[in-house]
Amino acid sequence: MRHKLAVLANIANALNQADITWAVGGSLLLFLKGKVESFHDIDIMVDEDQAGQAAAALASLGRELPYKPNPKYATRHFHEFVIDGVGVDMLAGFVIISKGRSVECPLRADDITGSTEVMGAHIPLHSLAEWHRYYQLMGRKDRADQIFSKKDSEKFGSME
C-alpha cells in the first residue's frame, strides 16, 4: 500500500506542477476517505480540456498500455498506464453507459470537494456524492453502499 501511495504522490507532483485540474476517484478515493481498507489501482479524473497535457505528464512517469474498449463506458479520453508497477487509469470526459443511455460524468471544479496530503503531495479529492451516483449508474451497489449508509442513500436518493 505504501508503494502505491508513493506512486500517487509522484503523480500528484507531476500533475500539480503542470497546473492540471484533476482529482482522485474510484476505490482510491474511498480508501483516502476511510470507506475501504485497500484499493487496487489509481483512478485519476482530469478536466477534459487538459486531457492531452495530463496524459503526457503520466506517460513521462511510466508506460501507457494499449487502449482496450469497454462497452460499459464511452469515456472520451481514457488512458491506462503502469507507473512503477502500479496501474493508473486516467479519465477525462467520463461517460457511463447505464440502461442503454450515455450519462456524462465530467470532472467539474466544484466536484472537487476536498484534499489530502500524501507523502508531502497535495491530492485533490473528487466528490463522494458523485462517486455514489457513478457506482449506482455502473450497477456497483456494493461500492455505492460503501460510500453512504442506508440512511444517507435515502437522503441522497437514487441517482439513476
Side-chain angles (χ1 to χ4, degrees), residues 64-139:
E64 185 167 2
L65 301 176
Y67 177 70
K68 294 180 285 190
N70 184 328
K72 295 179 184 179
Y73 307 101
T75 302
R76 288 182 289 281
H77 305 276
F78 176 79
H79 299 269
E80 191 174 7
F81 299 89
V82 175
I83 299 174
D84 202 14
V86 177
V88 178
D89 293 343
M90 187 207 92
L91 301 91
F94 187 35
V95 178
I96 299 170
I97 307 299
S98 179
K99 298 180 181 175
R101 63 187 172 100
S102 297
V103 181
E104 295 281 334
C105 306
L107 176 66
R108 297 179 305 238
D110 58 343
D111 289 332
I112 300 172
T113 58
S115 65
T116 192
E117 190 173 300
V118 172
M119 298 181 182
H122 175 78
I123 311 294
L125 303 174
H126 202 207
S127 162
L128 278 176
E130 283 300 298
W131 276 91
H132 183 259
R133 180 174 77 99
Y134 298 168
Y135 282 130
Q136 286 181 321
L137 289 167
M138 290 180 217

Side-chain angles (χ1 to χ4, degrees), residues 41 60 89 142 146 150 152:
D41 62 2
S60 74
D89 293 343
D142 59 328
Q146 289 174 321
K150 183 175 173 144
D152 289 333

